[in-house]
């Protein structure tokens, strides 16, 4: 099983958890689908696109979404923290600064997954 699983809205069927092209299970509520992911020690795989501000897409700046934008990562290009990545999950305000883009993606996906299932007290991988 993957460490990242996709959760997608399945219109009249509710929410599906998908691993690659395989539908693992369908749920009535998004929270139930996210809990299924957490119970497997995984996190939700968000959709990542370049952030667009004023019609321009700055380099090293990405937004995460699952129906709505839920977080953002960006690389610091100047100053004493140049080369590090800042991440922020909009719901709940979790954020951090890490060394790599992959760590920043992990931070947003983990924080959003935890927020949806209200697992602030839980330890996730």
């Amino acid at each position: 099983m993957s460490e990242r699983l996709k959760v997608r809205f399945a219109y009249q069927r509710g929410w599906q958890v998908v691993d690659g092209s395989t539908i693992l299970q369908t749920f009535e509520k998004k929270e139930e689908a996210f809990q299924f992911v957490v119970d497997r020690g995984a996190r939700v795989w968000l959709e990542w696109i370049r952030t667009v501000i004023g019609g321009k897409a700055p380099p090293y700046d990405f937004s995460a979404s699952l129906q709505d934008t839920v977080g953002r990562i960006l690389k610091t290009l100047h100053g004493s923290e140049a080369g590090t990545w800042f991440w922020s999950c909009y719901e709940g305000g979790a954020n951090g600064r890490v060394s790599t883009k992959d760590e920043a993606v992990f931070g947003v996906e983990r924080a959003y997954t935890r927020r949806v299932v209200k697992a602030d007290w839980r330890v996730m991988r």
Side-chain angles (χ1 to χ4, degrees), residues 3-44:
E3 71 175 33
R4 295 166 79 194
L5 297 171
K6 291 195 179 212
V7 172
R8 66 183 183 197
F9 183 63
Y11 305 104
Q12 307 268 336
R13 295 183 299 266
W15 294 84
Q16 294 177 330
V17 178
V18 181
D19 188 3
S21 61
T22 304
I23 297 170
L24 300 178
Q25 196 157 340
T26 302
F27 299 89
E28 185 178 323
K29 297 179 182 176
K30 178 170 93 171
E31 294 80 5
E32 295 169 334
F34 272 63
Q35 188 63 57
F36 178 86
V37 171
V38 170
D39 290 346
R40 274 135 195 85
R43 68 184 192 275
V44 170

Side-chain angles (χ1 to χ4, degrees), residues 6-116:
K6 291 195 179 212
V7 172
R8 66 183 183 197
F9 183 63
Y11 305 104
Q12 307 268 336
R13 295 183 299 266
W15 294 84
Q16 294 177 330
V17 178
V18 181
D19 188 3
S21 61
T22 304
I23 297 170
L24 300 178
Q25 196 157 340
T26 302
F27 299 89
E28 185 178 323
K29 297 179 182 176
K30 178 170 93 171
E31 294 80 5
E32 295 169 334
F34 272 63
Q35 188 63 57
F36 178 86
V37 171
V38 170
D39 290 346
R40 274 135 195 85
R43 68 184 192 275
V44 170
W45 190 332
L46 298 172
E47 180 179 332
W48 290 92
I49 59 169
R50 295 279 303 272
T51 302
V52 178
I53 301 171
K56 298 185 182 197
Y60 309 110
D61 192 336
F62 303 89
S63 297
S65 66
L66 181 76
Q67 289 191 300
D68 296 315
T69 303
V70 300
R72 183 173 172 197
I73 64 171
L74 61 141
K75 187 175 186 179
T76 304
L77 300 177
H78 306 287
S80 63
E81 295 181 340
T84 62
W85 286 81
F86 174 77
W87 65 268
S88 178
C89 180
Y90 299 152
E91 289 189 37
N95 64 72
R97 188 168 299 281
V98 293
S99 300
T100 68
K101 180 181 175 185
D102 287 342
E103 290 174 302
V105 167
F106 177 88
V108 172
E109 290 180 343
R110 183 181 77 165
Y112 184 66
T113 301
R114 292 170 60 91
R115 182 74 177 165
V116 170

